[in-house]
Amino acid sequence: MGVTFTQLAYFLAVADVRSFTRAAESVGVAQPTLSRQLKALETELVDRGARDGPMLTPAGEALLPLARRMLADADNARTAVAEIVGLRSGRIRVGGTPSLCIGVLADVLRVFHEQHPDIRLELAEDGSQPLVRSLARGELDVALVIVPAAGVDPALHTTPVLRERLSVASPTSERAPTSRASMSVRELGRRSLVVPRRGYDVRETTLAAFADAGVEPQFAVEGGEMDAVLRMVEAGTGVAVVPDLVFAGRPRLRRTVLTPPLFRTVALARRADLTPTHAMRAFRATLLSFLAVLSAGDGFAGDVQVLRPATG
């Protein structure tokens, strides 16, 4: 007796609900279609004349667990093939804060594109708070975000990947903001400050540090993206508290550490209720591999520590 996967699926539906009508509804076909598919199996596997509805014959009972296994294996095989094909087409939507786009994602996306050239990459650059909202709305697949002091939104699955220090950026064309190797928030309060727009975690962290020290900041400019903040500092408009990642490749910026130090943790985030696609897992692997290579070599400029996430 030759049996197709379609016939096995219809057989399992009848075995589960003991009704041809309800079985047809559960698999989304008309009852005559289901009956035709099972006609060749009825005498050997299904006793249609039973008083309480169709019952399985002894042969049907013996086939039942094997049929469930065969269909489960077929589903797994289809999923595996779909995921492999998914690395040859499709897209992945990645988000990152401006400093992380410059310091991490630019290289990671280059490597990922070289490895998977047929996957379309879409990049969203924004502050952590808007990125988290975009993840929640399903507008992004993954994003590098800053872990807030209050903890991560439980709707997100996060993998901590970096711990970096926040330092004071000043222009090398002018005198250093202090004669020492570090400066306090109180000293920083005597300098004109450039801060990015609302939505940037570094802005909120900076203002919180001023509040904790009981110091009123003196603003030169408020608002703008991170790149604009850095350019204004280079031009001598003021100083800024920025992530250490941004100092790489900017010889016109001087780095001065703050005491007590300010640190932040960077995590790769995705929605916890969605199973990551093969492309998303491949992106995660590319990111972690890139960071591992940096950690084993010269690493980043400034005080940036690569975290070693748990497997999974």
Side-chain angles (χ1 to χ4, degrees), residues 61-142:
E61 293 286 357
L63 175 64
L64 188 60
L66 179 60
R68 293 193 192 280
R69 270 199 315 275
M70 291 174 65
L71 286 178
D73 288 344
D75 284 341
N76 290 337
R78 279 192 292 269
T79 299
V81 170
E83 288 187 343
I84 291 172
V85 172
L87 286 179
R88 298 175 185 161
S89 62
R91 68 172 181 176
I92 181 168
R93 300 165 300 174
V94 182
T97 65
S99 62
L100 293 169
C101 285
I102 297 169
V104 177
L105 283 178
D107 287 317
V108 172
L109 292 178
R110 172 185 57 79
V111 173
F112 186 84
H113 177 65
E114 290 173 353
Q115 295 172 342
H116 311 289
D118 295 324
I119 294 181
R120 189 170 79 252
L121 289 166
E122 297 180 8
L123 177 64
E125 185 178 5
D126 213 329
S128 272
Q129 297 167 31
L131 289 174
V132 166
R133 291 193 291 270
S134 294
L135 283 171
R137 291 193 296 262
E139 298 167 353
L140 293 174
D141 298 310
V142 293

Side-chain angles (χ1 to χ4, degrees), residues 152-193:
V152 180
D153 186 335
L156 299 181
H157 176 278
T158 56
T159 302
V161 294
L162 291 173
R163 182 174 184 264
E164 66 172 326
R165 189 167 187 162
L166 303 179
S167 300
V168 178
S170 61
T172 54
S173 60
E174 298 183 0
R175 291 178 56 186
T178 178
S179 58
R180 296 178 290 106
S182 65
M183 64 187 303
S184 67
V185 173
R186 187 164 296 279
E187 290 176 291
L188 184 60
R190 295 194 287 268
R191 304 298 300 258
S192 295
L193 197 64

Side-chain angles (χ1 to χ4, degrees), residues 187-209:
E187 290 176 291
L188 184 60
R190 295 194 287 268
R191 304 298 300 258
S192 295
L193 197 64
V194 180
V195 293
R197 63 171 174 80
R198 296 181 187 277
Y200 276 79
D201 172 83
V202 68
R203 172 194 173 99
E204 309 308 323
T205 301
T206 300
L207 299 185

